[in-house]
Amino acid sequence: MSLRHALLVTLLSGAASGYELSKRFDASTASFWPARRQQIYAELKSLEADGLVAATVVQQAGRPDRRDCSITAAGRQELARWVSEPAAPNVVKDELLVKLAAAELVDVGLMIDLVSVWRGQRAERLAVFEQLEKGFLRGKDRETYLRTARRVGPYLTLERGLEFERANIAWADNVVAVLLARGRG
């Protein structure tokens, strides 16, 4: 997958300036496909040059003009083509897993601290995802939302993030329990 496709997917929610798009991207796609704001702006220029995105200049009183980008028909065709292809298996790159593989080289308390910090980061991310879920559902239950929403894809990807972070937290709790038991033994 490329950033180009992730941005086209994000633009399915409607036109946005580069700034708005990066904010929208941060709140959705960035949880599984991170990108820096500079990368987003550079890719938007490329998408526009390739005719996959069109930009409209919006004049603003007392501020610089804003460029609102929207996906074009060619962009939708490219996105449909890409969506139709089989997805490549994901690759996990996790520094903590490499460190944990060498856990016996350091004090067990240090490794527990490292895992606990990592767990806290996962819990923070889960809290953000849970807030996003509330925003999606707006008081509806999951089944009603999935049956009536105009687009369900963004919510389904959010569900994957929720499940992923809950599994990360459960795994971290297990690792700490194992390390504590070994430390006592």
Side-chain angles (χ1 to χ4, degrees), residues 108-121:
V108 69
L110 173 63
M111 188 54 62
I112 288 170
D113 289 346
L114 291 173
V115 173
S116 296
V117 167
W118 186 89
R119 184 201 186 281
Q121 293 166 340

Side-chain angles (χ1 to χ4, degrees), residues 8 11 15-18 21 41 43-59 65-73:
L8 289 172
L11 283 170
S17 67
L21 184 62
Y41 283 112
E43 190 60 44
L44 272 176
K45 286 181 183 175
S46 175
L47 287 165
E48 187 177 5
D50 292 343
L52 304 178
V53 164
T56 305
V57 176
V58 178
Q59 293 183 345
D65 292 347
R66 185 180 79 219
R67 291 172 48 86
D68 282 352
C69 298
S70 58
I71 189 169
T72 63

Side-chain angles (χ1 to χ4, degrees), residues 78-123:
E78 167 55 21
L79 196 51
R81 181 204 61 74
W82 175 78
V83 168
S84 301
E85 296 175 349
N90 64 335
V91 177
V92 175
K93 289 173 62 174
D94 192 323
E95 185 177 336
L96 180 66
L97 293 177
V98 177
K99 290 181 177 193
L100 190 59
E104 289 74 22
L105 296 178
V106 297
D107 177 75
V108 69
L110 173 63
M111 188 54 62
I112 288 170
D113 289 346
L114 291 173
V115 173
S116 296
V117 167
W118 186 89
R119 184 201 186 281
Q121 293 166 340
R122 307 282 51 94

Side-chain angles (χ1 to χ4, degrees), residues 20-185:
E20 291 166 337
L21 184 62
S22 68
K23 288 297 208 188
R24 198 184 293 169
F25 192 83
D26 285 346
S28 60
T29 314
S31 62
F32 51 87
W33 195 265
R36 292 184 314 278
R37 188 164 290 162
Q38 299 90 333
Q39 291 174 291
I40 291 172
Y41 283 112
E43 190 60 44
L44 272 176
K45 286 181 183 175
S46 175
L47 287 165
E48 187 177 5
D50 292 343
L52 304 178
V53 164
T56 305
V57 176
V58 178
Q59 293 183 345
Q60 302 182 102
R63 295 165 60 185
D65 292 347
R66 185 180 79 219
R67 291 172 48 86
D68 282 352
C69 298
S70 58
I71 189 169
T72 63
R76 286 179 181 275
Q77 286 177 332
E78 167 55 21
L79 196 51
R81 181 204 61 74
W82 175 78
V83 168
S84 301
E85 296 175 349
N90 64 335
V91 177
V92 175
K93 289 173 62 174
D94 192 323
E95 185 177 336
L96 180 66
L97 293 177
V98 177
K99 290 181 177 193
L100 190 59
E104 289 74 22
L105 296 178
V106 297
D107 177 75
V108 69
L110 173 63
M111 188 54 62
I112 288 170
D113 289 346
L114 291 173
V115 173
S116 296
V117 167
W118 186 89
R119 184 201 186 281
Q121 293 166 340
R122 307 282 51 94
E124 288 174 8
R125 196 167 196 186
L126 176 61
V128 169
F129 289 169
E130 288 171 340
Q131 283 303 113
L132 287 170
E133 183 180 38
K134 286 180 185 176
F136 271 104
L137 297 178
R138 291 189 185 108
K140 296 178 187 171
D141 61 76
R142 177 185 183 273
E143 289 71 27
T144 301
Y145 177 82
L146 291 175
R147 201 175 49 254
T148 61
R150 184 177 66 85
R151 293 183 60 219
V152 297
Y155 181 79
L156 294 173
T157 61
L158 174 64
E159 278 192 325
R160 176 64 177 112
L162 287 161
E163 291 172 15
F164 182 71
E165 295 307 347
R166 288 178 183 136
N168 280 332
I169 290 167
W171 173 81
D173 291 342
N174 181 60
V175 168
V176 168
V178 168
L179 292 174
L180 282 170
R182 287 182 56 89
R184 282 187 233 117

